[in-house]
Amino acid sequence: MQTYDLEADGLRGLNAALQAQATETNQTVWEVVNPRGSHAIAVGLDAPIEVNVKGSTGYYCGGMNKQATVHVHGSAGPGVAENMMSGTVVIEGDASQYAGATGHGGTLVIKGNASSRCGISMKGIDIIVHGNVGHMSAFMGQSGNLVVCGDAGEALGDSLYEARLFVRGSVKSLGADCVEKEMRPEHLEMLADLLARGKCDAKPEDFKRYGSARKLYNFDIDNAY
Amino acid sequence: MTDKPQTLPIQSATFTQEVNAEIRRAAATGIYDIRGGGAKRKLPHFDDLLFLGASMSRYPLEGYREACGTNVTLGTRFAENPIELKTPITIAGMSFGALSGQAKEALGRGATLAGTSTTTGDGGMTPEERGHSNKLVYQYLPSRYGMNPDDLRRADAVEMVVGQGAKPGGGGMLLGQKISDRVAEMRNLPKGIDQRSACRHPDWTGPDDLEIKILEIREITGWKIPIYVKVGGARPYFDTTLAIKAGADVVVLDGMQGGTAATQDVFIEHVGQPTIACIREAVKALQDLDMHRKVQLIVSGGIRNGADVAKCMALGADAVAIGTAALIALGDNDPKWEAEYNKLGTTAGAYDDWHEGQDPAGITTQDPELAKRLDPIEGGRRLNNYLKVMTLEAQTIARACGKNHLHNLEPEDLCAVTLEAAAMTKIPLAGTDWYPGKPGTDY
Ligand SMILES: Cc1cc2nc3c(=O)[nH]c(=O)nc-3n(C[C@H](O)[C@H](O)[C@H](O)COP(=O)(O)O)c2cc1C
């Protein structure tokens, strides 16, 4: 295992070392100590390595991740795992705003709560939140899945495209064009898999599914003439 | 009929035929007018400025023999590999989706021949444009369509788009007719929807956040490539100041005449400041922070010829960008398609329904049959010729002002022919040494 002291050795050295790992690397496990809320920790990785961050992170931890597993043993600042392509990011604590924003793939697991705009503009990522999510979560979500084991704040799924939202607790309000949808067997199956990946102790049957009413897909034009 | 003298029918200057037609259109459809292009109304512009030329106190350079440099280096502040261009005229960001694959390829070919850069747009990077563009700037937009770290590292620079001159404060639009299979896949959207992309970035809001966002992008790209910040002409002094503070290597400033692929007409015509009004304010911000020429300024919005380029440079820009003019060079709005424009209810020169995807010139379309009309090699040749002419024109003017590089043009080389232009650019009104608001004067 490699240990990197972020406070002593600096951000550039960390990201350069992690980004230099090739797919067939044998330096597969890294530990980052003294993160102290620094921004842009472990961004742009592209190898199947495991990075354990021992503490809390600032903005954009795990940004644009491919292949790697980034595990934050603390809480994460805004935009954690933003634009992730593949791989896994796990947050032991809470996540701030825009967690998983615009993610194209991979899995983001938040063991605590996520703040507002969780999964904003998501494009294929799977996000599993053990706790609650704040307002405007999954705003303009295009594809992927957002699973919330707790409650969702106001305007969930506003202007949603094809992302699927599953919430176990209450939803304060649904955003424009977001509606509750029937939970069919294929959804239960999908949800069971997501819950297993997120290591959530929850039953798929206890969730409700939300999705796009698809009424905003086209402009409303009066064609009477 | 009577022989009694009659008044002539008088058309209202307020309720013009165009205004009335728009009222009728709105009444029939219930939707605002969407179109492409830039502001069509008459605004103070580069034509309202003139060069003084050399005289007793300034020597001109010999027209064809004495050197007059045109090269520019962009991104010298932080990037390990700044961009070196032979001409300061760059190609602005225009999306694949708004434009056909062939049009993007033609832009890449022409820009490469001319020794300049081209720019992706709201829809990601296509292999065609990467392959044919020697220098390619990759836009980082609120929608993040197609955004990925591999393309980011393939880029020669990244442009963080905060705003566009045609619609400061507005997001993108691509209507269903143009969401083909390929476009839908690149953007991860259902086919055929009327796509309206976000106006605000999903994971940062103010300039303090942008600074951290830029740090992240630099960490992902290893601090190698320049990072530009593009703003619409809204509050140029503050926007430029904040972009510099956030860590930009280059500021791209797009005035309200700047084109767009598709936006509400009301937005294009009524939001933003004219290009000439923005430049001096942005340059002042750079100077106040001692960053003029250290952070480069690229100006766009209605640039058409070498005189416009030279005027931008004289006002303090380092380079310019063109969108609409490049499309016209490729063949957009060419009268040779007049019969087809007529069928679409318009005429060559006025065609702006670029969002409908029926462009007779095959440029702003995703229809494979129409797109085939543009030969990317021929288009590239035309664009290169046009860029060459603009560069030669700018050099001609610079030499006449006694300047051995376009960057040596200065405000003192100019006069203004209208009060408005004088006020907006702080260039003295022709025949005077005064402009409105000049310090030491009361008016
Ligand atoms: C067809 C078209 C598509 C455009 N697409 C984008 C875009 O995707 N992103 C962007 O920042 N600006 C876009 N723009 C604006 C240009 O980058 C540029 O700011 C503008 O065209 C400059 O003004 P000009 O057209 O008068 O030269 C587009 C413009 C046009 C004409």
Side-chain angles (χ1 to χ4, degrees):
Chain A
M1 189 184 71
Q2 321 281 311
T3 299
Y4 192 97
D5 185 336
L6 189 60
E7 199 182 11
D9 299 324
L11 183 67
R12 188 74 284 267
L14 174 68
N15 283 322
L18 296 177
Q19 289 165 6
Q21 301 307 308
T23 302
E24 58 281 359
T25 181
N26 53 12
Q27 298 180 324
T28 50
V29 183
W30 292 71
E31 188 170 274
V32 180
V33 297
N34 292 319
R36 296 177 163 241
S38 296
H39 307 309
I41 293 175
V43 294
L45 307 191
D46 190 5
I49 57 174
E50 183 184 324
V51 181
N52 291 292
V53 184
K54 298 296 208 180
S56 294
T57 60
Y59 281 57
Y60 310 130
C61 176
M64 296 217 183
N65 185 48
K66 280 176 85 178
Q67 303 193 64
T69 298
V70 178
H71 199 137
V72 178
H73 297 268
S75 289
V80 64
E82 68 86 20
N83 213 88
M84 175 153 63
M85 307 302 292
S86 63
T88 306
V89 173
V90 181
I91 313 300
E92 286 297 325
D94 297 320
S96 183
Q97 308 171 80
Y98 343 118
T102 78
H104 286 66
T107 309
L108 169 63
V109 180
I110 298 162
K111 300 237 175 123
N113 301 310
S115 180
S116 60
R117 298 184 169 82
C118 178
I120 183 170
S121 212
M122 56 198 283
K123 297 168 169 48
I125 189 176
D126 291 329
I127 306 176
I128 300 122
V129 184
H130 288 216
N132 308 323
V133 296
H135 63 264
M136 293 293 263
S137 286
F139 176 60
M140 289 183 109
Q142 294 175 221
S143 63
N145 299 290
L146 172 64
V147 179
V148 182
C149 298
D151 303 329
E154 282 159 345
L156 176 73
D158 194 282
S159 308
L160 198 63
Y161 291 103
E162 294 297 303
R164 290 186 210 90
L165 317 181
F166 301 98
V167 183
R168 183 165 67 169
S170 66
V171 173
K172 196 148 192 204
S173 64
L174 293 173
D177 214 31
C178 182
V179 290
E180 188 182 336
K181 295 196 160 180
E182 185 196 352
M183 184 80 95
R184 294 195 298 268
E186 70 263 30
H187 300 122
L188 288 170
E189 201 177 309
M190 191 183 294
L191 183 53
D193 172 59
L194 288 160
L195 290 168
R197 273 159 56 202
K199 299 201 168 57
C200 293
D201 185 18
K203 290 204 276 302
E205 299 76 32
D206 294 344
F207 285 74
K208 285 183 176 157
R209 180 170 81 97
Y210 303 88
S212 177
R214 304 190 178 106
K215 293 221 171 78
L216 292 177
Y217 276 17
N218 291 99
F219 277 110
D220 181 14
I221 302 174
D222 182 348
N223 288 317
Y225 292 86
Chain B
M1 283 297 277
T2 159
D3 289 340
K4 248 198 334 199
Q6 303 271 314
T7 57
L8 288 172
I10 299 176
Q11 295 285 353
S12 167
T14 307
F15 288 90
T16 60
Q17 294 286 23
E18 285 93 352
V19 167
N20 296 353
E22 169 52 18
I23 292 173
R24 286 187 287 272
R25 194 206 57 77
T29 63
I31 183 174
Y32 40 47
D33 184 32
I34 297 169
R35 68 172 178 88
K40 290 190 168 185
R41 63 156 79 208
K42 189 158 172 48
L43 289 162
H45 201 41
F46 295 110
D47 291 338
D48 301 320
L49 299 173
L50 299 175
F51 282 98
L52 299 175
S55 54
M56 289 287 272
S57 59
R58 310 273 157 108
Y59 310 135
L61 296 187
E62 196 52 62
Y64 298 100
R65 297 195 175 71
E66 284 183 282
C68 177
T70 62
N71 64 308
V72 58
T73 307
L74 300 170
T76 49
R77 186 183 184 192
F78 291 121
E80 197 180 311
N81 305 322
I83 291 201
E84 309 268 355
L85 304 178
K86 286 197 200 137
T87 170
I89 309 163
T90 66
I91 307 300
M94 293 182 274
S95 69
F96 167 72
L99 301 186
S100 68
Q102 286 91 326
K104 288 299 282 178
E105 180 182 333
L107 293 174
R109 285 177 180 274
T112 299
L113 286 171
T116 190
S117 60
T118 182
T119 313
T120 67
D122 200 5
M125 184 189 286
T126 64
E128 294 99 312
E129 72 180 327
R130 177 61 282 187
H132 293 288
S133 307
N134 184 19
K135 294 274 181 268
L136 181 61
V137 182
Y138 186 33
Q139 285 200 328
Y140 191 82
L141 292 126
S143 69
R144 310 278 165 88
Y145 293 136
M147 174 51 55
N148 69 81
D150 301 320
D151 285 342
L152 202 56
R153 292 184 180 121
R154 271 193 272 272
D156 298 293
V158 180
E159 182 168 301
M160 320 288 293
V161 180
V162 178
Q164 235 179 285
K167 45 181 173 182
M173 224 179 229
L174 195 68
L175 302 196
Q177 300 93 318
K178 291 175 82 170
I179 311 274
S180 65
D181 287 330
R182 184 174 179 202
V183 172
E185 196 194 313
M186 275 181 75
R187 299 185 185 214
N188 204 324
L189 286 169
K191 197 183 167 190
I193 65 159
D194 291 334
Q195 172 250 292
R196 282 157 270 186
S197 46
C199 62
R200 226 167 66 192
H201 281 265
D203 57 356
W204 60 270
T205 38
D208 297 336
D209 284 5
L210 176 58
E211 187 171 348
I212 306 170
K213 178 47 78 176
I214 288 178
L215 169 74
E216 183 205 6
I217 301 297
R218 288 205 197 274
E219 283 292 321
I220 292 173
T221 54
W223 292 75
K224 292 201 176 69
I225 57 177
I227 297 193
Y228 301 7
V229 173
K230 175 174 180 175
V231 294
R235 294 173 184 79
Y237 182 82
F238 297 109
D239 290 340
T240 305
T241 303
L242 293 170
I244 297 166
K245 191 230 159 218
D249 291 307
V250 173
V251 176
V252 182
L253 176 67
D254 190 28
M256 82 171 276
Q257 289 96 328
T260 175
T263 293
Q264 299 91 334
D265 174 79
V266 71
F267 214 145
I268 301 176
E269 296 288 358
H270 298 277
V271 184
Q273 297 207 54
T275 306
I276 61 163
C278 297
I279 305 175
R280 288 304 283 279
E281 289 292 295
V283 172
K284 182 165 189 306
L286 288 158
Q287 287 166 337
D288 286 354
L289 294 171
D290 194 23
M291 281 290 170
H292 194 211
R293 308 295 186 210
K294 296 176 190 159
V295 166
Q296 287 77 34
L297 176 68
I298 302 180
V299 168
S300 61
I303 290 170
R304 306 151 297 175
N305 52 43
D308 291 353
V309 176
K311 288 167 190 174
C312 282
M313 310 290 275
L315 293 172
D318 295 276
V320 304
I322 57 167
T324 306
L327 302 186
I328 294 170
L330 296 186
D332 171 68
N333 267 297
D334 193 320
K336 80 175 179 196
W337 304 109
E338 183 62 11
E340 296 194 39
Y341 288 126
N342 293 164
K343 273 192 235 154
L344 296 170
T346 183
T347 180
Y351 176 64
D352 59 13
D353 284 330
W354 297 346
H355 58 290
E356 290 179 351
Q358 298 174 315
D359 185 355
I363 296 168
T364 56
T365 183
Q366 293 302 318
D367 177 330
E369 285 308 310
L370 290 171
K372 262 201 286 197
R373 292 182 179 180
L374 179 74
D375 172 2
I377 297 176
E378 162 73 4
R381 190 175 65 83
R382 293 177 60 89
L383 179 62
N384 175 39
N385 281 338
Y386 171 58
L387 289 167
K388 201 164 90 185
V389 169
M390 285 176 101
T391 309
L392 286 169
E393 285 175 344
Q395 278 177 307
T396 302
I397 287 172
R399 286 198 187 93
C401 296
K403 303 291 157 58
N404 66 0
H405 198 290
L406 296 184
H407 286 160
N408 295 337
L409 287 164
E410 53 194 328
E412 286 69 24
D413 291 318
L414 295 168
C415 69
V417 289
T418 65
L419 267 178
E420 288 85 350
M424 290 177 187
T425 59
K426 301 177 181 61
I427 297 292
L429 187 64
T432 78
D433 64 355
W434 171 83
Y435 57 83
K438 184 176 177 180
T441 62
D442 290 339
Y443 41 85

PDB file of all heavy atoms in Angstrom, chain B residues 337-352:
ATOM      1  N   TRP B 337     -28.717  29.777 -53.465  1.00  0.00           N
ATOM      2  CA  TRP B 337     -29.816  28.934 -52.981  1.00  0.00           C
ATOM      3  C   TRP B 337     -31.130  29.715 -52.897  1.00  0.00           C
ATOM      4  O   TRP B 337     -32.055  29.289 -52.213  1.00  0.00           O
ATOM      5  CB  TRP B 337     -29.483  28.362 -51.595  1.00  0.00           C
ATOM      6  CG  TRP B 337     -28.207  27.587 -51.525  1.00  0.00           C
ATOM      7  CD1 TRP B 337     -27.057  27.961 -50.904  1.00  0.00           C
ATOM      8  CD2 TRP B 337     -27.940  26.309 -52.107  1.00  0.00           C
ATOM      9  NE1 TRP B 337     -26.088  27.003 -51.062  1.00  0.00           N
ATOM     10  CE2 TRP B 337     -26.601  25.971 -51.804  1.00  0.00           C
ATOM     11  CE3 TRP B 337     -28.700  25.413 -52.872  1.00  0.00           C
ATOM     12  CZ2 TRP B 337     -26.008  24.785 -52.238  1.00  0.00           C
ATOM     13  CZ3 TRP B 337     -28.106  24.227 -53.291  1.00  0.00           C
ATOM     14  CH2 TRP B 337     -26.777  23.930 -52.977  1.00  0.00           C
ATOM     15  N   GLU B 338     -31.195  30.859 -53.613  1.00  0.00           N
ATOM     16  CA  GLU B 338     -32.348  31.750 -53.437  1.00  0.00           C
ATOM     17  C   GLU B 338     -33.698  31.040 -53.593  1.00  0.00           C
ATOM     18  O   GLU B 338     -34.618  31.248 -52.800  1.00  0.00           O
ATOM     19  CB  GLU B 338     -32.261  32.939 -54.416  1.00  0.00           C
ATOM     20  CG  GLU B 338     -33.380  33.967 -54.282  1.00  0.00           C
ATOM     21  CD  GLU B 338     -33.433  34.661 -52.906  1.00  0.00           C
ATOM     22  OE1 GLU B 338     -32.489  34.508 -52.104  1.00  0.00           O
ATOM     23  OE2 GLU B 338     -34.437  35.345 -52.638  1.00  0.00           O
ATOM     24  N   ALA B 339     -33.814  30.184 -54.616  1.00  0.00           N
ATOM     25  CA  ALA B 339     -35.111  29.525 -54.844  1.00  0.00           C
ATOM     26  C   ALA B 339     -35.510  28.715 -53.607  1.00  0.00           C
ATOM     27  O   ALA B 339     -36.685  28.705 -53.207  1.00  0.00           O
ATOM     28  CB  ALA B 339     -35.026  28.622 -56.068  1.00  0.00           C
ATOM     29  N   GLU B 340     -34.526  28.074 -52.994  1.00  0.00           N
ATOM     30  CA  GLU B 340     -34.856  27.268 -51.810  1.00  0.00           C
ATOM     31  C   GLU B 340     -35.139  28.133 -50.583  1.00  0.00           C
ATOM     32  O   GLU B 340     -35.975  27.798 -49.755  1.00  0.00           O
ATOM     33  CB  GLU B 340     -33.727  26.273 -51.516  1.00  0.00           C
ATOM     34  CG  GLU B 340     -33.598  25.286 -52.664  1.00  0.00           C
ATOM     35  CD  GLU B 340     -32.740  24.086 -52.312  1.00  0.00           C
ATOM     36  OE1 GLU B 340     -32.840  23.601 -51.173  1.00  0.00           O
ATOM     37  OE2 GLU B 340     -31.982  23.669 -53.195  1.00  0.00           O
ATOM     38  N   TYR B 341     -34.429  29.248 -50.492  1.00  0.00           N
ATOM     39  CA  TYR B 341     -34.753  30.164 -49.389  1.00  0.00           C
ATOM     40  C   TYR B 341     -36.192  30.646 -49.550  1.00  0.00           C
ATOM     41  O   TYR B 341     -36.937  30.743 -48.579  1.00  0.00           O
ATOM     42  CB  TYR B 341     -33.792  31.360 -49.355  1.00  0.00           C
ATOM     43  CG  TYR B 341     -32.389  31.001 -48.891  1.00  0.00           C
ATOM     44  CD1 TYR B 341     -31.277  31.311 -49.652  1.00  0.00           C
ATOM     45  CD2 TYR B 341     -32.198  30.363 -47.677  1.00  0.00           C
ATOM     46  CE1 TYR B 341     -29.997  30.981 -49.228  1.00  0.00           C
ATOM     47  CE2 TYR B 341     -30.917  30.027 -47.242  1.00  0.00           C
ATOM     48  CZ  TYR B 341     -29.825  30.338 -48.024  1.00  0.00           C
ATOM     49  OH  TYR B 341     -28.570  30.008 -47.591  1.00  0.00           O
ATOM     50  N   ASN B 342     -36.570  30.959 -50.792  1.00  0.00           N
ATOM     51  CA  ASN B 342     -37.936  31.437 -51.039  1.00  0.00           C
ATOM     52  C   ASN B 342     -38.956  30.397 -50.591  1.00  0.00           C
ATOM     53  O   ASN B 342     -39.978  30.729 -49.993  1.00  0.00           O
ATOM     54  CB  ASN B 342     -38.150  31.758 -52.523  1.00  0.00           C
ATOM     55  CG  ASN B 342     -37.327  32.964 -52.982  1.00  0.00           C
ATOM     56  OD1 ASN B 342     -37.142  33.189 -54.171  1.00  0.00           O
ATOM     57  ND2 ASN B 342     -36.806  33.745 -52.039  1.00  0.00           N
ATOM     58  N   LYS B 343     -38.655  29.131 -50.865  1.00  0.00           N
ATOM     59  CA  LYS B 343     -39.590  28.067 -50.452  1.00  0.00           C
ATOM     60  C   LYS B 343     -39.745  28.028 -48.935  1.00  0.00           C
ATOM     61  O   LYS B 343     -40.785  27.643 -48.420  1.00  0.00           O
ATOM     62  CB  LYS B 343     -39.082  26.699 -50.932  1.00  0.00           C
ATOM     63  CG  LYS B 343     -39.522  26.360 -52.338  1.00  0.00           C
ATOM     64  CD  LYS B 343     -39.244  24.890 -52.629  1.00  0.00           C
ATOM     65  CE  LYS B 343     -38.397  24.790 -53.894  1.00  0.00           C
ATOM     66  NZ  LYS B 343     -37.579  23.593 -53.982  1.00  0.00           N
ATOM     67  N   LEU B 344     -38.688  28.416 -48.241  1.00  0.00           N
ATOM     68  CA  LEU B 344     -38.759  28.437 -46.773  1.00  0.00           C
ATOM     69  C   LEU B 344     -39.335  29.764 -46.262  1.00  0.00           C
ATOM     70  O   LEU B 344     -39.322  30.036 -45.060  1.00  0.00           O
ATOM     71  CB  LEU B 344     -37.356  28.221 -46.173  1.00  0.00           C
ATOM     72  CG  LEU B 344     -36.701  26.867 -46.455  1.00  0.00           C
ATOM     73  CD1 LEU B 344     -35.237  26.865 -46.014  1.00  0.00           C
ATOM     74  CD2 LEU B 344     -37.459  25.746 -45.742  1.00  0.00           C
ATOM     75  N   GLY B 345     -39.800  30.593 -47.217  1.00  0.00           N
ATOM     76  CA  GLY B 345     -40.430  31.858 -46.827  1.00  0.00           C
ATOM     77  C   GLY B 345     -39.434  32.939 -46.467  1.00  0.00           C
ATOM     78  O   GLY B 345     -39.751  33.873 -45.731  1.00  0.00           O
ATOM     79  N   THR B 346     -38.219  32.827 -46.997  1.00  0.00           N
ATOM     80  CA  THR B 346     -37.219  33.842 -46.663  1.00  0.00           C
ATOM     81  C   THR B 346     -36.393  34.153 -47.903  1.00  0.00           C
ATOM     82  O   THR B 346     -36.780  33.802 -49.020  1.00  0.00           O
ATOM     83  CB  THR B 346     -36.355  33.367 -45.465  1.00  0.00           C
ATOM     84  OG1 THR B 346     -35.443  34.403 -45.108  1.00  0.00           O
ATOM     85  CG2 THR B 346     -35.603  32.096 -45.763  1.00  0.00           C
ATOM     86  N   THR B 347     -35.294  34.821 -47.715  1.00  0.00           N
ATOM     87  CA  THR B 347     -34.457  35.211 -48.845  1.00  0.00           C
ATOM     88  C   THR B 347     -32.993  35.174 -48.410  1.00  0.00           C
ATOM     89  O   THR B 347     -32.714  35.268 -47.201  1.00  0.00           O
ATOM     90  CB  THR B 347     -34.877  36.614 -49.365  1.00  0.00           C
ATOM     91  OG1 THR B 347     -34.058  36.977 -50.472  1.00  0.00           O
ATOM     92  CG2 THR B 347     -34.733  37.680 -48.284  1.00  0.00           C
ATOM     93  N   ALA B 348     -32.104  34.998 -49.370  1.00  0.00           N
ATOM     94  CA  ALA B 348     -30.679  34.914 -49.037  1.00  0.00           C
ATOM     95  C   ALA B 348     -30.256  36.161 -48.259  1.00  0.00           C
ATOM     96  O   ALA B 348     -30.609  37.279 -48.635  1.00  0.00           O
ATOM     97  CB  ALA B 348     -29.845  34.782 -50.304  1.00  0.00           C
ATOM     98  N   GLY B 349     -29.533  35.968 -47.208  1.00  0.00           N
ATOM     99  CA  GLY B 349     -29.097  37.096 -46.372  1.00  0.00           C
ATOM    100  C   GLY B 349     -29.962  37.242 -45.138  1.00  0.00           C
ATOM    101  O   GLY B 349     -29.502  37.734 -44.104  1.00  0.00           O
ATOM    102  N   ALA B 350     -31.218  36.804 -45.241  1.00  0.00           N
ATOM    103  CA  ALA B 350     -32.128  36.934 -44.098  1.00  0.00           C
ATOM    104  C   ALA B 350     -32.407  35.593 -43.446  1.00  0.00           C
ATOM    105  O   ALA B 350     -33.037  35.524 -42.387  1.00  0.00           O
ATOM    106  CB  ALA B 350     -33.451  37.555 -44.544  1.00  0.00           C
ATOM    107  N   TYR B 351     -31.942  34.511 -44.048  1.00  0.00           N
ATOM    108  CA  TYR B 351     -32.260  33.168 -43.520  1.00  0.00           C
ATOM    109  C   TYR B 351     -31.635  32.987 -42.139  1.00  0.00           C
ATOM    110  O   TYR B 351     -30.415  33.051 -41.975  1.00  0.00           O
ATOM    111  CB  TYR B 351     -31.747  32.096 -44.484  1.00  0.00           C
ATOM    112  CG  TYR B 351     -31.950  30.691 -43.965  1.00  0.00           C
ATOM    113  CD1 TYR B 351     -33.233  30.191 -43.763  1.00  0.00           C
ATOM    114  CD2 TYR B 351     -30.873  29.874 -43.641  1.00  0.00           C
ATOM    115  CE1 TYR B 351     -33.434  28.914 -43.262  1.00  0.00           C
ATOM    116  CE2 TYR B 351     -31.063  28.591 -43.136  1.00  0.00           C
ATOM    117  CZ  TYR B 351     -32.348  28.124 -42.951  1.00  0.00           C
ATOM    118  OH  TYR B 351     -32.539  26.863 -42.447  1.00  0.00           O
ATOM    119  N   ASP B 352     -32.477  32.770 -41.140  1.00  0.00           N
ATOM    120  CA  ASP B 352     -31.961  32.603 -39.782  1.00  0.00           C
ATOM    121  C   ASP B 352     -32.662  31.485 -39.011  1.00  0.00           C
ATOM    122  O   ASP B 352     -32.466  31.354 -37.801  1.00  0.00           O
ATOM    123  CB  ASP B 352     -32.052  33.923 -39.005  1.00  0.00           C
ATOM    124  CG  ASP B 352     -33.467  34.453 -38.909  1.00  0.00           C
ATOM    125  OD1 ASP B 352     -34.416  33.705 -39.213  1.00  0.00           O
ATOM    126  OD2 ASP B 352     -33.633  35.632 -38.529  1.00  0.00           O
TER     127      ASP B 352
END
